[in-house]
Amino acid sequence: VSVELYADLSAAAKKDDISKSINYGEVCHFIKLEMENHTFKLIEALTAHLAKKIILHFQLVEKVKVQVKKPWAPILLPIETVSVEMEKQWHTVYLSLGSNMGEREQNLNRAIALLKEDEECQVIKVSSYRNTKPVGGVEQEDFLNCALELRTLKTSEELLDLIGVIESKLERVRTIHWGPRTIDLDILFFDNDIINTQRLTIPHPEIINREFVLEPMCEIAPYWMHPIYRQTMKQMYAAFKVK
């Protein structure tokens, strides 16, 4: 097993203090115990397991790269080893949440609690809840909206899958486009990534047109830079208000 750890070690270097660093001896023993206490059929599964466990256990680690080499692969050819390498890292994500059916505040609270229950997600900041008028032309009740900052080990696709599970648990029903819903979670930003697939468009294309997104984003991340427009949330909200 080969492991590369990525972390900010400036405090350790400045103070000559191991408590501000990562004790690689502890990492080695941690890996040894994980391999002794778990059994895997595939080195892919072992590699993924180690990457996840290391980054969750050692709080200073922002990114980990794990390579597992398997000697004497049973393929009847003169190959010394086969190997698998995987990376795991923390991502900064911003989500928009909204509800206009049932107990709106309770729906938002429950969605946030479900995010927190996932070990690969850490809710960092949540904006104030705001009562907002619906958009899209469908006659319906007012929404309660907020934005939150999330730190996650999940990929954007994995996070979208989790959002689907949360919306299902809160009985989100998709019958009318832009219609009423118990809960709505949208990925606004995923790091500084620009993604355009059949399932995902990130940054969310409607950010620039939505006060219920821009205002709470200004509360929790006023200087977050939109990777396409190259403007901060504060600048984008100011431009929106003068339209």
Side-chain angles (χ1 to χ4, degrees):
V1 177
S2 299
V3 177
E4 294 181 21
L5 305 176
Y6 297 79
D8 181 358
L9 303 178
S10 56
K14 183 178 180 179
K15 298 184 178 181
D16 197 21
D17 183 355
I18 194 172
S19 69
K20 306 293 184 182
S21 184
I22 302 164
N23 187 324
Y24 49 82
E26 291 181 6
V27 176
C28 292
H29 286 284
F30 180 83
I31 292 170
K32 179 175 181 290
L33 287 173
E34 287 297 315
M35 295 184 69
E36 288 175 345
N37 293 330
H38 298 85
T39 302
F40 299 94
K41 295 179 181 178
L42 300 176
I43 58 173
E44 291 89 342
L46 170 60
T47 307
H49 174 83
L50 289 177
K52 177 180 175 179
K53 290 298 182 180
I54 289 168
I55 202 168
L56 286 174
H57 185 81
F58 296 93
Q59 295 184 355
L60 286 178
V61 177
E62 289 292 328
K63 175 182 172 181
V64 61
K65 184 185 295 184
V66 178
Q67 183 185 56
V68 175
K69 292 184 177 181
K70 179 181 179 181
W72 314 300
I75 57 175
L76 304 179
L77 289 171
I79 296 176
E80 291 186 1
T81 62
V82 294
S83 68
V84 169
E85 182 175 288
M86 294 184 183
E87 293 182 3
K88 201 81 168 172
Q89 71 179 81
W90 288 108
H91 301 281
T92 298
V93 180
Y94 289 96
L95 302 180
S96 175
L97 291 79
S99 173
N100 76 334
M101 292 179 65
E103 297 295 330
R104 300 179 306 164
E105 183 174 349
Q106 182 177 325
N107 291 339
L108 294 181
N109 291 341
R110 180 62 179 144
I112 294 169
L114 288 170
L115 284 170
K116 290 179 178 179
E117 285 179 10
D118 191 293
E119 67 174 347
E120 293 190 337
C121 293
Q122 297 175 357
V123 175
I124 306 301
K125 294 179 184 176
V126 181
S127 74
S128 305
Y129 292 176
R130 290 167 168 80
N131 195 75
T132 61
K133 297 295 181 183
V135 298
V138 178
E139 187 174 341
Q140 56 188 306
E141 299 297 323
D142 288 354
F143 277 84
L144 198 63
N145 289 99
C146 72
L148 66 78
E149 179 183 340
L150 187 72
R151 191 169 180 249
T152 184
L153 294 176
K154 295 184 181 298
T155 65
S156 56
E157 291 279 344
E158 290 170 340
L159 181 58
L160 186 62
D161 290 338
L162 174 61
I163 285 173
V165 171
I166 291 173
E167 290 183 340
S168 178
K169 286 183 177 180
L170 291 173
E171 300 179 351
R172 162 77 185 266
V173 178
R174 299 175 185 272
T175 54
I176 304 173
H177 184 54
W178 283 343
R181 49 254 195 212
T182 54
I183 194 67
D184 185 28
L185 290 91
D186 288 319
I187 303 174
L188 302 176
F189 298 102
F190 191 94
D191 291 333
N192 291 309
D193 293 355
I194 299 173
I195 302 170
N196 188 13
T197 67
Q198 287 187 334
R199 296 187 70 204
L200 271 175
T201 301
I202 298 174
H204 194 288
E206 292 296 327
I207 291 171
I208 196 171
N209 302 315
R210 299 290 184 250
E211 185 173 17
F212 65 80
V213 170
L214 290 170
E215 187 179 20
M217 279 298 295
C218 281
E219 180 185 337
I220 63 173
Y223 300 107
W224 182 264
M225 182 76 71
H226 195 294
I228 296 175
Y229 295 111
R230 304 309 299 169
Q231 291 183 317
T232 66
M233 297 295 97
K234 191 174 182 179
Q235 289 171 323
M236 292 180 70
Y237 187 39
F240 175 89
K241 289 194 291 185
V242 299
K243 284 182 180 180

